[in-house]
Amino acid sequence: MKNTLASSIILGSGLLAAALIAPARAAIPVGPNGAVQVGGFFSQGYLYSSDINHPTANKGGTWDFREMAVNVSTTIGSRLRLGGQAFAQRLGEIGGDKVILDWAVADYNFDPAFGVRAGRVKYPKGLYGEALDLDVVRPYVFLPNSVYSPVLRDFAASFDGALVYGTLSLGKSTFDYKVFYGDIPISPEKGIAEFYNDTSVGLYAASGVSQLSMDSVTGGQLVWNTPVSGLRFAYSYSFFDKLNSNGPFAGFPAANLNLAFGRFSYDVASVEYTWKDWVFAAEWQRAGATFKFGAAPFLPTTSGTYGTDGWYVSAARRLNAKFEIGTYYGDLRDRYNSRDSRDYQKDFAVSLRYDLNEHVLFKIEAHRIGGTYGLFNTARIPNPAATRKDEDTVFAAKTTFSF
């Protein structure tokens, strides 16, 4: 870990030095007439949590918080766009600085009302699901956990498949639509495994889930750009089919336990209003599924229901060319047992962003968190029940170089 951190800081220092002397541009044009665009970013951060490990193992402070990416894109003719991005992250013990293919698409736009995008495609969920890697467009270090879990970043950012999209006009309004189908690569190494390995669920042995799979992801999104300048509404719906897991049963590790979600769905309703130097947003997300689990012959097949409700409201203001501030309040809870203090999470955050130049920015952020829903007690994010607190303060600092 120390060697990885050192090499990442050396890389980041070199990129930062380059940024301080680089001419201002959004990306680097390459080839004849700049037909190929090369861009990317590197960020290094610091996390500190006062009483619990949230969102990762950062109690007492950690430098294991960074992201990096390089993307390449080109346009062939006036309708075909090709591009892709390699991405790596470390969020505590999640990610491990391992380089993955974040997105890679062939996008053909027949006309404004109809286009097709295929390959590894950004997952359109909520206002900002397709912009998880665009740190430069917001003042926040973390998007609200009630809708955008940072632990799921390596799982929920993109899918393998195809998406149909377009823009339709109706009077003074326009409607952006997207419909998609595909699958998401899934494994016990990804952040989603924390949701299965959490000892408060108590299904799998200490070694954790050993196999994860899913059949497909299907969904769509509709955005209404209203006649009121800067005001838009969105609704997103998506679901996973046959989301299955296997691993040693906690009650008898020699037996294998299977947990199967027939259909795991997300409903997200969103609104955003941009007015002068202000951006106001609010989103509500409902996630839910029915499931079956069993570990024959020791545990007969049992059915159950899972569901969460999450929402937030936020406000951000650009003060001048250098500074931007933001704040949000988020609420996440178990739909079926929210009266228990451990089954909700209330998160109040305040952020400050400083832009050194067009390539380098700095952010600091403070969170006051009440309740413990959405926290984990796993090998990678330990929060033993005996020491788990109902309140926590989290500080995050981050610097990002982009080109």
Side-chain angles (χ1 to χ4, degrees), residues 175-196:
F175 293 86
D176 302 324
Y177 73 88
K178 295 173 182 175
V179 180
F180 62 92
Y181 176 83
D183 66 82
I184 299 178
I186 185 171
S187 72
E189 288 73 38
K190 292 193 173 184
I192 190 174
E194 304 310 288
F195 291 84
Y196 293 88

Side-chain angles (χ1 to χ4, degrees), residues 168-175 224-229 231:
L168 306 174
S169 298
L170 183 62
K172 295 183 179 180
S173 298
T174 61
F175 293 86
W224 174 28
N225 302 297
T226 74
V228 178
S229 178
L231 178 63

Side-chain angles (χ1 to χ4, degrees), residues 46-51 54 58-62 392-396:
Y46 178 78
L47 294 175
Y48 172 86
S49 178
S50 62
D51 294 290
H54 177 76
N58 61 325
K59 183 178 178 181
T62 180
D392 187 39
T393 299
V394 174
F395 292 100

Side-chain angles (χ1 to χ4, degrees), residues 180-225:
F180 62 92
Y181 176 83
D183 66 82
I184 299 178
I186 185 171
S187 72
E189 288 73 38
K190 292 193 173 184
I192 190 174
E194 304 310 288
F195 291 84
Y196 293 88
N197 293 336
D198 187 6
T199 58
S200 66
V201 178
L203 294 178
Y204 292 107
S207 55
V209 64
S210 59
Q211 184 179 12
L212 290 168
S213 65
M214 63 180 294
D215 184 61
S216 62
V217 58
T218 306
Q221 183 181 69
L222 182 66
V223 179
W224 174 28
N225 302 297

Side-chain angles (χ1 to χ4, degrees), residues 122-127 147 159 163-164 176-182 184 216-223 234-241 262-270 283-290 335:
K122 285 290 189 179
Y123 185 3
K125 184 166 76 75
L127 292 171
V147 176
F159 68 94
L163 177 147
V164 175
D176 302 324
Y177 73 88
K178 295 173 182 175
V179 180
F180 62 92
Y181 176 83
I184 299 178
S216 62
V217 58
T218 306
Q221 183 181 69
L222 182 66
V223 179
Y235 173 69
S236 311
Y237 176 74
S238 59
F239 62 87
F240 307 138
D241 256 335
R263 174 170 291 188
F264 195 110
S265 65
Y266 288 101
D267 290 90
V268 186
S270 314
E283 296 193 87
W284 170 85
Q285 175 177 273
R286 170 163 286 184
T290 58
R335 280 163 47 199

